[in-house]
C-alpha cells in the first residue's frame, strides 16, 4: 500500500472543466453569500443602503476568477430575489454579474493589497453602484435623477472607505489570506 497520498490539485485539470471539489466550493460560497443576504443592511431612504454582500462577491472573485464569480453572482442574485420576495429586474442581475466580474478581474491570482482592494471597491462603487444601479432605479421608479442621486452619492462616499477598510481587514488577515490562496481555482 502506498503511503504517499497527495491532495488533489485545486487548479483545473482541463480548461473549463470543474472537478468535484471545485464545484463543491462554488456551492459553499454561493450558500454563504445567500446567508449574507440575511444580514440586515443599513437603509437610507428608499434608494440607498449599505450591506455586506460585497464581501461574498469579493471572495467569489478571489477564489474563482472573473467568469465563475460572475456566474455565482448571477445565481446568488436570482436565488436571493426569490427568497426575499423582491421585485426581479434584469438590470440588477447585470449589476451583480459585473460586480463578481470586477472583483475577480482585479483580485484573482493577485497579491492581495490595500491598493488592489481599493481599486476593486472603487470600480464597483462608481460603475455599478453610482452608474448602473442608479440607472436601474430611474427606469424602475421613473424618478428624476435629482430626486435620488444626491443621497446615493453621499451613501457611496461613506461606503467606499468603509467597504475598503472592512474588506482589507478580512482579506489581509493571514489565516484568511492563506485559505484563499489555497483554494483558488
Amino acid at each position: 500500500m502506498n503511503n504517499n497520498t497527495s491532495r488533489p490539485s485545486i487548479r483545473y485539470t482541463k480548461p473549463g472543466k470543474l472537478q468535484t471539489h471545485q464545484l463543491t466550493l462554488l456551492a459553499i460560497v454561493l450558500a454563504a453569500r445567500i446567508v449574507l443576504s440575511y444580514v440586515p443592511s443599513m437603509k437610507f431612504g428608499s434608494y440607498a443602503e449599505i450591506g455586506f454582500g460585497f464581501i461574498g462577491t469579493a471572495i467569489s472573485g478571489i477564489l474563482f476568477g472573473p467568469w465563475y464569480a460572475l456566474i455565482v453572482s448571477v445565481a446568488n442574485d436570482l436565488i436571493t430575489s426569490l427568497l426575499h420576495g423582491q421585485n426581479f429586474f434584469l438590470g440588477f442581475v447585470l449589476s451583480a454579474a459585473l460586480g463578481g466580474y470586477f472583483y475577480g478581474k482585479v483580485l484573482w491570482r493577485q497579491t492581495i493589497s490595500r491598493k488592489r482592494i481599493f481599486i476593486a471597491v472603487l470600480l464597483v462603487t462608481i460603475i455599478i453602484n453610482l452608474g448602473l444601479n442608479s440607472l436601474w432605479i430611474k427606469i424602475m421608479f421613473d424618478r428624476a435623477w435629482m430626486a435620488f442621486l444626491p443621497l446615493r452619492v453621499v451613501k457611496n462616499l461613506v461606503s467606499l472607505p468603509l467597504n475598503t477598510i472592512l474588506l482589507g481587514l478580512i482579506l489581509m488577515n493571514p489565516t484568511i489570506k492563506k485559505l484563499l490562496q489555497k483554494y483558488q481555482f
Side-chain angles (χ1 to χ4, degrees):
M1 183 172 169
N2 187 355
N3 289 335
N4 293 335
T5 58
S6 63
R7 284 183 355 102
S9 171
I10 299 301
R11 306 275 184 229
Y12 294 121
T13 52
K14 295 180 183 176
K17 187 169 183 159
L18 294 175
Q19 296 176 2
T20 305
H21 65 279
Q22 291 170 322
L23 209 57
T24 303
L25 185 59
L26 278 167
I28 290 169
V29 170
L30 177 58
R33 288 190 60 188
I34 292 168
V35 168
L36 272 175
S37 75
Y38 285 96
V39 174
S41 57
M42 294 181 288
K43 294 191 184 275
F44 302 93
S46 301
Y47 307 114
E49 67 181 86
I50 296 177
F52 298 99
F54 72 96
I55 297 168
T57 308
I59 290 173
S60 297
I62 291 168
L63 288 175
F64 310 131
W67 295 108
Y68 283 114
L70 181 147
I71 293 166
V72 169
S73 294
V74 167
N76 176 66
D77 193 66
L78 295 173
I79 292 168
T80 55
S81 291
L82 289 170
L83 290 175
H84 294 290
Q86 297 169 338
N87 291 336
F88 174 79
F89 185 71
L90 194 57
F92 288 117
V93 176
L94 175 63
S95 291
L98 288 174
Y101 181 82
F102 288 155
Y103 279 112
K105 197 70 174 166
V106 175
L107 300 173
W108 185 52
R109 293 187 180 170
Q110 301 294 326
T111 301
I112 303 299
S113 65
R114 287 177 178 80
K115 180 181 176 183
R116 283 200 166 274
I117 292 168
F118 176 75
I119 290 169
V121 173
L122 183 66
L123 281 172
V124 169
T125 299
I126 292 173
I127 296 171
I128 297 171
N129 297 347
L130 284 173
L132 291 175
N133 287 351
S134 296
L135 176 62
W136 309 143
I137 289 170
K138 178 168 177 28
I139 290 170
M140 285 180 67
F141 298 108
D142 196 27
R143 300 278 190 248
W145 288 102
M146 293 313 294
F148 64 87
L149 200 53
L151 180 61
R152 291 186 58 75
V153 169
V154 169
K155 173 261 179 193
N156 281 285
L157 285 173
V158 170
S159 69
L160 175 63
L162 287 177
N163 290 359
T164 302
I165 290 167
L166 183 58
L167 204 53
L169 288 172
I170 292 168
L171 299 180
M172 301 298 280
N173 176 293
T175 305
I176 301 291
K177 213 173 188 176
K178 187 176 178 181
L179 284 170
L180 292 173
Q181 288 172 346
K182 179 178 179 179
Y183 291 105
Q184 267 184 357
F185 281 20

